[in-house]
Amino acid sequence: MARRALPARPGPGPVRPDRPDTPPPVIRIRRLTKSYGHGDATVHALRGPDDPATGGPLGVDLDIEQGDFVAVMGSSGSGKSTLMNILGCLDVPTGGRYLLDGIDVGHLDEGQLALVRNRKIGFVFQSFNLVPRTTALAQVELPLAYAGVRAAERRRRALAALSLVGLAERSGHRPNELSGGQQQRVAVARALVTAPAMLLADEPTGNLDSRSTEEVLGLIDGLNATGRTVVLITHEDEVARHAKRVLRLVDGMIVSDLRQAPVDGPPPALHRAGVPA
Amino acid sequence: MILWQTLRFAAGGLVANKVRSALTMLGVLIGVASVILLLAVGNGSSVAVKESITSLGTNSLTVTSGSSFGGARSASSAKKLTVADAKALATEADPHAVRSVAPVVTAAGTALNGDISYSPGSIVGTYPAYFETANQKVEHGEYFTQDDVLASRKVAVLGATTAKQLFATADPVGRQIVVGGTPFTVVGVLRAKGGTGFTDPDDVLVAPLPTVQNAFTGFGSVNQIMVQAASADSTAQAQSEITRILLGTHAIADPTKADFRISSQTSLLSARESTTKTFTVLLGAVAAISLLVGGIGITNIMLVTVTERTREIGIRKALGAPRGVILGQFLTEATLLSVVGAGLGVLAGIAGSHFRIVGIEPVVIPESVLGAFGIAVAIGLFFGSYPANRAASLRPIDALRHE
């Protein structure tokens, strides 16, 4: 497997409040549109405001700072999943530019996109999406294996990630031997094991009971507190309360952008719990 | 690292669907085993033909009179073969082409051993060279000699069947029998050749030529002249030598009007051998088709597997699996299926070739084992590459959404 290098970028270390110049945003999208179908049947999943001159969609603009914790809210069909898929390089936009960590994703070929997904993005899905019949340890090792990390190093890092989510003693269990909450924690461990620039979570608590929800959100809060950028999609206000910034999408347009806490601080949930920054 | 990992993933994928994998392998197994076995059966029958050629004497040629089958012998224009012709062949032929010449007369008669009476299939009068030319070996006792021929002694060598009929289990050597009123001393018994056709080659009585001519046929023509070529390769050369000399002795200018025929065992049997070759090719073709069907089975199963595991492919792609890794995983699975199936097929084919099949002892062709195995693996790769390619080119978002 040929390994291709991506353009260099500053390390993902914790954001210091005293930093004089603001780092480049992890995500910068400009006039991003996504439509399905052709002609009259065209559906604009992402459209942004209408262009006053032509009446056509202008596209969505969005910047997400490093270390931010953004919740994207909206009803089903509002385009939030489309946004998430494009942010995760799983889908390609119809129009507009998407810069992830300073790299224009639109110019990458399939192999480079695989590399971007592997190195820069950690996914947490609503339906866990663990590989069937594979032990928790092997699940977490998987992204490292695709990155070409050596077996011993892979094992060490995977075990470290599993103990971070409190599942070190369950490393030999298969998905069908784990509860939903445990499965999602394995998924979180898998998402963070490559130390990605951004954690993308698509309704991570949608299939979980309230206790598991708290556990998983607590993990995500913790990750954000150590400087990891988090983009989380949800339709529950309870979950959105954990974010520093809440975006609301309606019909493919960002209708509100509310900041609940500063970027350079702990996530609001930890702040409320009195954990020092 | 990646190779080992891919192999582990592939093996895991196969083990997850044991019954399905086993049935797919069975398809390849049957294909490979039938290729090996059917080619072995075809080869076995051609080996059997070759053995019967050697038992008849590979380099023997038989000269008979007559220009064609049927009436030629009775036609007055056709000159009969004589002992003089045989002598001409023995003295004039190139010794590099012709090793020995034996004129043969055949007669019918009844042999008596005391009060046991038996009529051998044929009573042959000839020279000692006959034994080697016709590949007749004495098992017990000895051949009659050139001296016996010159002295026209009344000695006889019995074929195995004749000996058994006349003497049962007793030793015939040295005993007296009476054939057509003439007493003969038995000097040897031929080794049994076993029947390969309608006539039993062991049902004979062989005696010196002048003795038989004196007692039965008279000193006229001979029935045939058996010529032994110097080697199996020189039969063609021997044949042209015989034609040249006999055209001379019979004073015929036009070779197309020859009044004698030369037939070689080899030419008769090579025709039979080419028939068995056609047979082998036909069997091989049938087997190859079953191998192909096994390959299509692999495609089918891999397509099902890819469809079934589309979501898993999506997950892997979301985690950053490059196209090559996904392609490699499914190709490895298909190859594993075909390698294991073909390996088992080789074992089954070789095991099956230890049994007699429709009266033929199968003889495994080593190349067919390697070939069938190689082709099966290649088929696995070829037919596996389509589903694997389909898996690898799935868009991650489509794969993830697949239910």
Side-chain angles (χ1 to χ4, degrees):
Chain A
M1 181 179 62
R3 249 182 271 165
R4 266 167 293 191
L6 287 170
R9 64 162 195 91
V15 178
R16 289 171 305 234
D18 57 346
R19 199 141 139 182
D21 55 333
T22 50
V26 174
I27 289 170
R28 164 163 288 175
I29 57 180
R30 288 290 175 268
R31 302 185 63 134
L32 194 80
T33 56
K34 176 74 187 176
S35 49
Y36 301 98
H38 300 281
D40 289 343
T42 308
V43 174
H44 296 283
L46 279 179
R47 56 179 300 148
D50 285 340
D51 190 333
T54 62
L58 252 178
V60 174
D61 290 353
L62 178 66
D63 281 349
I64 294 175
E65 300 294 318
Q66 211 177 84
D68 208 347
F69 185 167
V70 181
V72 180
M73 296 195 69
S75 56
S76 90
S78 60
K80 59 184 194 302
S81 287
T82 304
L83 182 64
M84 150 100 182
N85 290 332
I86 291 172
L87 291 183
C89 299
L90 295 172
D91 207 351
V92 284
T94 311
R97 271 157 57 91
Y98 170 27
L99 280 82
L100 172 63
D101 232 7
I103 305 157
D104 191 341
V105 173
H107 294 147
L108 301 182
D109 66 21
E110 208 197 307
Q112 289 169 318
L113 279 177
L115 209 59
V116 165
R117 287 196 290 269
N118 185 247
R119 302 284 166 81
K120 304 241 174 249
I121 302 163
F123 287 100
V124 179
F125 298 94
Q126 177 175 5
S127 48
F128 320 138
N129 275 353
L130 297 183
V131 179
R133 302 178 299 273
T134 308
T135 63
L137 184 66
Q139 305 270 2
V140 180
E141 281 188 19
L142 212 52
L144 295 175
Y146 292 141
V149 177
R150 295 181 150 278
E153 168 76 357
R154 214 160 66 203
R155 200 180 154 76
R156 191 186 64 72
R157 282 168 70 177
L159 277 172
L162 274 175
S163 39
L164 193 70
V165 300
L167 285 176
E169 75 284 4
R170 304 237 171 217
S171 59
H173 287 53
R174 287 161 211 282
N176 55 355
E177 299 160 349
L178 296 170
S179 73
Q182 287 169 335
Q183 286 189 53
Q184 196 61 303
R185 276 148 68 194
V186 171
V188 171
R190 188 179 65 182
L192 63 87
V193 73
T194 50
M198 171 173 66
L199 190 73
L200 272 181
D202 187 358
E203 306 227 22
T205 59
N207 286 357
L208 298 180
D209 59 51
S210 57
R211 220 189 93 233
S212 301
T213 299
E214 283 309 312
E215 280 174 4
V216 169
L217 284 177
L219 279 172
I220 294 174
D221 283 338
L223 286 171
N224 181 246
T226 57
R228 188 90 62 232
T229 313
V230 176
V231 177
L232 180 144
I233 287 179
T234 185
H235 58 261
E236 291 171 66
D237 292 330
E238 277 299 310
V239 177
R241 213 166 288 160
H242 286 255
K244 296 173 183 170
R245 181 183 174 194
V246 180
L247 298 175
R248 271 178 204 281
L249 274 164
V250 173
D251 292 339
M253 244 185 297
I254 298 173
V255 293
S256 85
D257 186 348
L258 183 74
R259 181 154 292 286
Q260 304 188 132
V263 177
D264 303 337
L270 294 188
H271 194 64
R272 279 197 299 277
V275 179
Chain B
M1 185 292 298
I2 285 292
L3 186 75
W4 172 237
Q5 189 79 10
T6 310
L7 254 162
R8 257 185 47 193
F9 282 147
L14 294 183
V15 169
N17 273 303
K18 289 190 194 68
V19 176
R20 186 194 291 170
S21 306
L23 285 175
T24 314
M25 282 180 195
L26 190 67
V28 181
L29 187 156
I30 290 172
V32 169
S34 60
V35 165
I36 293 173
L37 206 53
L38 291 182
L39 287 180
V41 167
N43 187 40
S45 71
S46 96
V47 165
V49 168
K50 269 186 199 140
E51 268 165 14
S52 66
I53 292 174
T54 13
S55 87
L56 283 164
T58 37
N59 35 5
S60 71
L61 296 164
T62 309
V63 187
T64 49
S65 82
S67 55
S68 62
F69 286 106
R73 196 173 285 184
S74 58
S76 56
S77 64
K79 230 178 139 186
K80 308 267 183 169
L81 292 169
T82 59
V83 177
D85 289 331
K87 281 186 177 144
L89 286 177
T91 51
E92 290 173 33
D94 182 357
H96 294 297
V98 173
R99 186 185 290 165
S100 62
V101 177
V104 174
V105 295
T106 48
T110 306
L112 293 167
N113 169 33
D115 55 358
I116 303 166
S117 156
Y118 178 69
S119 298
S122 60
I123 295 165
V124 173
T126 186
Y127 288 175
Y130 168 83
F131 294 104
E132 201 194 335
T133 311
N135 200 29
Q136 296 274 29
K137 291 190 176 64
V138 157
E139 183 160 69
H140 186 58
E142 54 197 25
Y143 305 101
F144 58 76
T145 62
Q146 198 63 35
D147 259 8
D148 294 326
V149 174
L150 291 174
S152 185
R153 288 200 187 102
K154 298 180 177 66
V155 290
V157 175
L158 302 185
T161 307
T162 314
K164 201 177 154 205
Q165 291 290 340
L166 284 173
F167 293 95
T169 52
D171 181 10
V173 175
R175 302 274 292 271
Q176 288 274 325
I177 54 170
V178 179
V179 186
T182 313
F184 280 84
T185 308
V186 177
V187 291
V189 177
L190 295 170
R191 183 185 296 165
K193 287 169 103 176
T196 50
F198 295 111
T199 54
D200 181 358
D202 300 324
D203 191 12
V204 290
L205 184 153
V206 188
L209 176 71
T211 317
V212 175
Q213 282 179 318
N214 192 22
F216 301 96
T217 61
F219 292 90
S221 60
V222 297
N223 295 82
Q224 49 182 232
I225 301 171
M226 291 196 71
V227 179
Q228 190 182 20
S231 69
D233 300 327
S234 61
T235 46
Q237 200 192 340
Q239 200 157 345
S240 64
E241 282 286 290
I242 295 164
T243 311
R244 181 178 64 78
I245 294 160
L246 290 187
L247 285 178
T249 58
H250 291 198
I252 299 165
D254 183 359
T256 58
K257 289 182 180 151
D259 57 356
F260 54 89
R261 283 182 295 115
I262 305 163
S263 60
S264 71
Q265 310 283 20
T266 340
S267 70
L268 286 174
L269 287 162
S270 69
R272 259 180 80 186
E273 206 192 340
S274 78
T275 314
T276 63
K277 259 191 193 131
T278 317
F279 179 59
T280 310
V281 168
L282 205 71
L283 287 177
V286 170
I289 289 171
S290 73
L291 195 58
L292 192 73
V293 171
I296 293 170
I298 292 182
T299 318
N300 192 14
I301 285 310
M302 291 312 295
L303 275 178
V304 170
T305 307
V306 166
T307 312
E308 201 183 67
R309 287 164 61 186
T310 301
R311 212 181 149 78
E312 181 192 326
I313 296 165
I315 299 169
R316 288 176 186 273
K317 287 205 150 187
L319 294 180
R323 189 191 150 79
V325 171
I326 304 278
L327 191 73
Q329 182 182 341
F330 283 91
L331 262 188
T332 313
E333 273 191 34
T335 312
L336 264 186
L337 274 178
S338 57
V339 165
V340 177
L344 293 174
V346 166
L347 292 183
I350 290 175
S353 67
H354 285 91
F355 300 99
R356 272 182 88 86
I357 296 160
V358 288
I360 296 165
E361 202 79 59
V363 179
V364 173
I365 312 171
E367 289 86 353
S368 81
V369 175
L370 284 177
F373 186 84
I375 289 171
V377 172
I379 280 180
L381 264 175
F382 178 76
F383 283 103
S385 67
Y386 170 62
N389 210 19
R390 222 170 92 159
S393 22
L394 280 170
R395 288 170 60 216
I397 184 65
D398 296 336
L400 268 177
R401 277 194 192 134
H402 190 269
E403 286 306 321

